[in-house]
Amino acid sequence: MAIILPPLPYGDDALAPTISATTLQTHHGKHHKAYVDKTNAAIEGTDLAAASLEDIIAAAEAKGDKGLFNNSAQSWNHAFYWNSMAPSASAPSGDLAAAIDSAFGSLDKLNEELVAQGTAHFASGWVWLVAKDGKLAVEQTHDAATFANGDAKPLLVIDLWEHAYYLDHKNLRPDYLKAVTAKHLNWDFAAENYARESNWTYPA
Ligand code: FE
């Protein structure tokens, strides 16, 4: 049972011009696919061959297998990222809307925080909206580090690696972050994640 490469939840051009079809095709079809392929190559014939991606990530971390951790965690982070965006932004509602107002004051303030932390993040990584004990926070992780496992539940993520925005925005990471937060965050996905008992799981 190999780890799959889930299809994009929308068409290649659905996020343009914020993220072009060329970027999505390369990012999903080359980068994400390579992480999945390398994960599968590393687990083939081992006791992790039939494990869930979340268990592979945890096992790699526990045994200090940096290569497997990077490829498995990046596989997970990218699938979570595709789902974190939509052709047009929805609006938070219900419990999630109340939690956003409580933690940040407003959705606009939360989006400003995502842009600020995503811009300040040095080099490659991810900026996340997470919930811990029902309370929301913006967090950053470096390189492949992930919220796949653990007691903080990820609600949304934005990829900060240059391959996510360089073809469309060159060096202007803030322009990419402002456009994604203003137009493409999938608040329905965030609300599902906020309501679920445990963390989102990678499709099998
Ligand atoms: Fe990426």
Side-chain angles (χ1 to χ4, degrees):
M1 191 183 76
I3 300 302
I4 65 161
L5 176 67
L8 285 173
Y10 30 72
D12 289 349
D13 58 355
L15 306 180
T18 301
I19 301 174
S20 64
T22 303
T23 292
L24 271 189
Q25 286 158 4
T26 307
H27 199 175
H28 176 262
K30 306 286 185 191
H31 289 276
H32 190 180
K33 182 175 188 299
Y35 295 129
V36 170
D37 288 348
K38 288 175 185 172
T39 300
N40 283 327
I43 62 173
E44 191 180 354
T46 74
D47 58 359
L48 291 172
S52 69
L53 185 58
E54 291 79 16
D55 286 349
I56 294 167
I57 294 166
E61 191 162 29
K63 59 186 180 185
D65 185 337
K66 193 88 178 137
L68 180 57
F69 176 80
N70 285 340
N71 285 304
S72 57
Q74 283 293 80
S75 298
W76 198 98
N77 290 348
H78 280 88
F80 195 81
Y81 170 58
W82 308 133
N83 282 291
S84 294
M85 298 185 292
S88 56
S90 44
S93 60
D95 289 350
L96 177 60
I100 288 170
D101 288 345
S102 164
F104 301 100
S106 68
L107 178 61
D108 285 348
K109 294 282 186 206
L110 164 55
N111 283 337
E112 284 171 19
E113 184 66 17
L114 288 165
V115 172
Q117 290 209 30
T119 299
H121 184 91
F122 185 74
S124 298
W126 302 84
V127 64
W128 306 77
L129 177 65
V130 304
K132 197 170 178 186
D133 302 324
K135 191 162 165 33
L136 303 189
V138 172
E139 300 278 354
Q140 303 168 37
T141 60
H142 282 279
D143 300 324
T146 183
F147 281 98
N149 297 307
D151 55 358
K153 262 189 315 191
L155 306 189
L156 293 174
V157 75
I158 306 174
D159 193 338
L160 302 176
W161 288 57
E162 285 185 346
H163 63 225
Y165 61 87
Y166 218 84
L167 291 176
D168 304 317
H169 302 276
K170 302 292 191 292
N171 57 314
L172 300 177
R173 190 194 283 174
D175 286 4
Y176 154 74
L177 291 168
K178 284 177 196 163
V180 168
T181 54
K183 299 185 205 168
H184 297 297
L185 288 183
N186 186 345
W187 291 105
D188 296 333
F189 180 63
E192 287 167 24
N193 290 326
Y194 188 63
R196 70 175 87 247
E197 288 293 313
S198 47
N199 293 12
W200 180 84
T201 53
Y202 193 88

